[in-house]
Amino acid sequence: MNLLRSEWTKLRSVRSTWLAALSAVVAGVALSVLGVSDLLGTSSADLPPRWDPTAESLKGFLFAQLIIGMIGALSVTAEHGTGMIGTSLVFVPSRSRLLAAKAVVVAGLTLLISALTTVLSFTAVQVMLGSSGLPVAGPGDPGVARALAAGTLYLALIGLVGLAVGSLLRSATQSLAVLVGILLLVPALGPGLPGAVGDWFARFWPITAGQAAYAVVPGAGTLAPGPGILILAVAAAGITAASHVAFRLRDI
Amino acid sequence: MNQCIDRSAAALLDDDILEWDGILSRISGSKNTLASVLLTGTTDTTGIRALSLTKNYGRRTAVKELSFTAAPGVVTGFLGPNGAGKTTTMRMLLGLTRPSSGTITIGGRPLARLDNPAREVGALLDARATHPQRTAFHHLLAFAQTMGLGRGRVDEVLGLVGLSQVAGRRTGEFSLGMNQRLGIATALLGDPEVLVLDEPLNGLDPEGIRWARTFLRDLAREGRTVLFSSHLMSEMELTADDLVVVGQGRLIAESSLDEFVRANTVQAVTVRAAAPDELARALTRAGTGVSVQPDAALLVTGTDTATVGRIAAAQGIALIELAPVRESLEDVFLRLTDDATEYEGQPA
């Protein structure tokens, strides 16, 4: 409990945490709104066949996830960058406990940011779709509440991935580069690879798999929500374990 | 007699009146320290003990078979040129860097066995190692909370180092001197018996250095073990009681500052006399080494000014000038670590 309190003090006492939290929510909602703005003039008949107003309303995740990942990464790279990690370890020599406390605190904050981003994006987009006479999704509709919960969980898991990447690389700029790669570039370019490799990336790349979890209408060739979020969770746990081992073995 | 030796040792130092003051107070201070050691009944199982520490980075050896102790009740200076392995050693003492071989005990126990390390060992590693956006208060609070301590203790240590007025300012706005004070405050949070401070005087202005010296000496006087590093001998002269001198990762000397001065400074006297040849003969008869300098002064080794004066008086030789040859500790340090300096400027 002492450690959680300490890590929470560290996280809340730097302005960049709150700036990042605010930008994640604002940019996430704004991009979600922008994402459907080109549809507003069209009629229901012109909508694509697998029209999913829930997934459509969460397009802003594309950018929000990067900021949330960086909140996780910065919580540890800032300590390495300034050298403060040495002092932290004098106070808490158990590296496992230190990293676990960081993970819990980061997960708590990113869960909150993720929930806000998800709910606000969904609400704003449904209001816009409704006012244009397009079909909307309500939270009571089948699968919608589950999709929103999965979306929140997806973003929060990205926060943990960011923490693990930051802990492995110990540098904010390198973490940003790697996060852009795994969150944006691989999901965009991987499926274009020839044959089975491309198919694997389209289904099983953990980020892509996790994104399938917040669809209400399943996309073509994507995983079902349960296995999708599970693959992301396993991948996040794996990279967290790797960062834990590295943190324990390396000199500071 | 003892006092006399101390004075002659001190006389070899720079004749700056301030340093005289400091050295004399240091001599009297070390008596208090001895008393406090006797009173607290501390034994040699307390303090810091490093045994045969070695740290290799690939093929480079940063620290090689380094053994030393830092005792409670005194300020131990850890001295060496840049790159001598001081920081690596201190990081090993704090468990941040694993020694390739060797052992460390703090208060008689291996480092890994400390129950609540921050309450036993306080550390200043790098004064700049603070998040620039975080206030001094929150920086300290985060570390205090790891030990279940709160605002009360943070306010106390802020007061101890004189930062109460700026507690709410971001450390990015701090001068290096203020960050040093914050670093010392961080080290003191758990009220530890052992303090390991890496270059705590670095970047302080003269007023700050005087403050830090008094502060470190007071901490030692309370019975704590204080180990602090510096690459500047001048920082050691008025602060340390004991010295651990390293160069290229090896131990060069370990002794009290006084012994270090006595053992390593050349005792010599220059003298000018109305009849130099006659004096030279008298001094040679007395068994001292005499050489004639280009300016006709005599350089006499193996004796002190009082003896030379007495010999001259016995012979009825009038003296024009009589002075001890002073070698500052800085000179001694540079001479000792000359071979051990890793990086040296090449003449252009």
Side-chain angles (χ1 to χ4, degrees), chain B residues 133-347:
Chain B
Q133 290 180 18
R134 198 173 281 132
T135 65
F137 175 81
H138 282 113
H139 178 80
L140 291 168
L141 182 63
F143 293 126
Q145 285 171 329
T146 63
M147 299 176 286
L149 301 171
R151 291 162 180 271
R153 182 59 186 160
V154 172
D155 291 337
E156 273 171 36
V157 294
L158 281 167
L160 282 175
V161 301
L163 287 181
S164 300
Q165 299 299 313
V166 293
R169 274 171 60 185
R170 297 176 201 284
T171 60
E173 302 166 17
F174 276 20
S175 65
L176 180 52
M178 288 159 89
N179 267 321
Q180 292 282 20
R181 284 175 191 248
L182 180 59
I184 293 172
T186 311
L188 291 175
L189 271 173
D191 196 20
E193 283 301 303
V194 174
L195 287 160
V196 176
L197 311 169
D198 199 2
E199 299 270 359
L201 304 184
N202 190 21
L204 292 177
D205 55 17
E207 193 275 326
I209 289 185
R210 195 163 353 158
W211 167 82
R213 281 179 163 150
T214 314
F215 198 75
L216 295 186
R217 302 193 56 75
D218 286 348
L219 288 170
R221 214 157 292 171
E222 291 166 21
R224 294 180 218 264
T225 304
V226 180
L227 178 71
F228 86 100
S229 72
S230 175
H231 63 284
L232 296 175
M233 188 67 219
S234 54
E235 289 184 350
M236 291 289 165
E237 288 191 24
L238 302 182
T239 316
D241 303 295
D242 287 350
L243 276 188
V244 174
V245 186
V246 291
Q248 282 196 342
R250 287 161 220 254
L251 187 70
I252 290 179
E254 182 183 16
S255 67
S256 74
L257 185 68
D258 297 340
E259 276 170 40
F260 183 77
V261 171
R262 236 172 291 149
N264 294 296
T265 48
V266 181
Q267 290 234 13
V269 174
T270 57
V271 57
R272 267 175 218 280
D277 296 342
E278 203 181 324
L279 179 62
R281 278 194 296 277
L283 288 167
T284 311
R285 273 199 305 279
T288 62
V290 182
S291 59
V292 183
Q293 300 297 97
D295 60 354
L298 303 178
L299 181 70
V300 193
T301 53
T303 186
D304 56 19
T305 48
T307 312
V308 173
R310 211 163 41 236
I311 292 168
Q315 299 293 319
I317 301 166
L319 295 186
I320 300 164
E321 188 187 316
L322 175 63
V325 175
R326 298 188 176 95
E327 188 182 31
S328 77
L329 277 180
E330 199 78 48
D331 293 335
V332 174
F333 171 57
L334 288 176
R335 181 160 49 75
L336 276 177
T337 58
D338 196 25
D339 306 328
T341 307
E342 193 157 6
Y343 311 103
E344 241 174 320
Q346 298 294 323

Side-chain angles (χ1 to χ4, degrees), chain A residues 6 9-10 13 16 248 252, chain B residues 91 98 133-134 142 145:
Chain A
S6 161
T9 300
K10 283 184 194 168
S13 60
S16 53
R248 282 186 66 110
I252 295 300
Chain B
R91 287 180 164 262
R98 242 171 290 252
Q133 290 180 18
R134 198 173 281 132
Q145 285 171 329

Side-chain angles (χ1 to χ4, degrees), chain A residues 42-130:
Chain A
T42 57
S43 71
S44 307
D46 295 336
L47 289 174
R50 286 167 175 275
W51 169 247
D52 181 348
T54 305
E56 285 297 318
S57 69
L58 303 179
K59 287 273 167 70
F61 277 20
L62 205 63
F63 190 65
Q65 63 177 351
L66 197 57
I67 303 177
I68 289 172
M70 280 310 288
I71 291 176
L74 282 171
S75 76
V76 47
T77 59
E79 287 211 36
H80 283 286
T82 58
M84 201 178 122
I85 189 73
T87 313
S88 293
L89 286 172
V90 170
F91 282 92
V92 186
S94 164
R95 299 182 182 199
S96 309
R97 291 182 61 216
L98 187 68
L99 195 61
K102 260 191 206 306
V104 169
V105 170
V106 164
L109 180 67
T110 54
L111 204 57
L112 182 74
I113 300 168
S114 306
L116 276 174
T117 309
T118 308
V119 170
L120 291 178
S121 295
F122 177 78
T123 311
V125 169
Q126 302 313 321
V127 166
M128 285 183 66
L129 292 176

Side-chain angles (χ1 to χ4, degrees), chain A residues 31-43 46-47 51 56 59 128-129 132 134:
Chain A
L31 272 176
S32 298
V33 167
L34 275 175
V36 293
S37 58
D38 60 327
L39 294 169
L40 296 181
T42 57
S43 71
D46 295 336
L47 289 174
W51 169 247
E56 285 297 318
K59 287 273 167 70
M128 285 183 66
L129 292 176
S132 307
L134 293 166

